[in-house]
Amino acid sequence: MKNFPAHFEELNRWMETLSLAIPDSMKAFGALHDASLAQGALDPKTKELIALGIAITVRCDGCISYHVHDALKAGATKEEIAETVSVSILMGGGPSVVYGIEAMQALSQYLEVGV
């Protein structure tokens, strides 16, 4: 089983390294990230749950690490994350079951470390 909190930290370190290599692109990506997840018609928690659902259906481990973490930080509950996994399975079929399990593993690990 992947250690999702450690994976999150490793991805953050590599994002910093990537930012040094391609600063303009990463600055633009950061601005897009901030604008997309800002309070608007949808609150940041809802947006993080949407991002998590997409992460599961496109099968992105790193995205699952980030968006479970950030959904919790935005106030999502275990139940809301579980329902997000459920909708992801609806939209993504069998492969989303596997990545939904990863999301639930990440949730469990982040809750253990107090995110």
Side-chain angles (χ1 to χ4, degrees), residues 22-41:
I22 53 170
D24 293 341
S25 296
M26 291 303 288
K27 183 177 179 182
F29 178 75
L32 175 62
H33 177 272
D34 293 344
S36 297
L37 295 175
Q39 178 68 42

Side-chain angles (χ1 to χ4, degrees), residues 8-96:
F8 177 83
E9 294 303 324
E10 179 183 7
L11 287 171
N12 279 328
R13 286 190 302 275
W14 279 102
M15 288 251 203
E16 290 174 15
T17 300
L18 189 57
S19 292
L20 293 174
I22 53 170
D24 293 341
S25 296
M26 291 303 288
K27 183 177 179 182
F29 178 75
L32 175 62
H33 177 272
D34 293 344
S36 297
L37 295 175
Q39 178 68 42
L42 297 175
D43 60 75
K45 177 181 81 172
T46 300
K47 292 177 179 187
E48 284 295 344
L49 292 170
I50 291 168
L52 175 59
I54 293 168
I56 292 167
T57 59
V58 301
R59 306 174 197 144
C60 178
D61 289 335
C63 301
I64 290 169
S65 291
Y66 265 98
H67 294 294
V68 169
H69 176 275
D70 291 353
L72 287 168
K73 286 287 195 182
T77 65
K78 290 173 25 178
E79 295 78 14
E80 289 169 328
I81 290 173
E83 286 190 22
T84 299
V85 170
S86 177
V87 174
S88 301
I89 292 168
L90 165 69
M91 298 305 293
S96 291

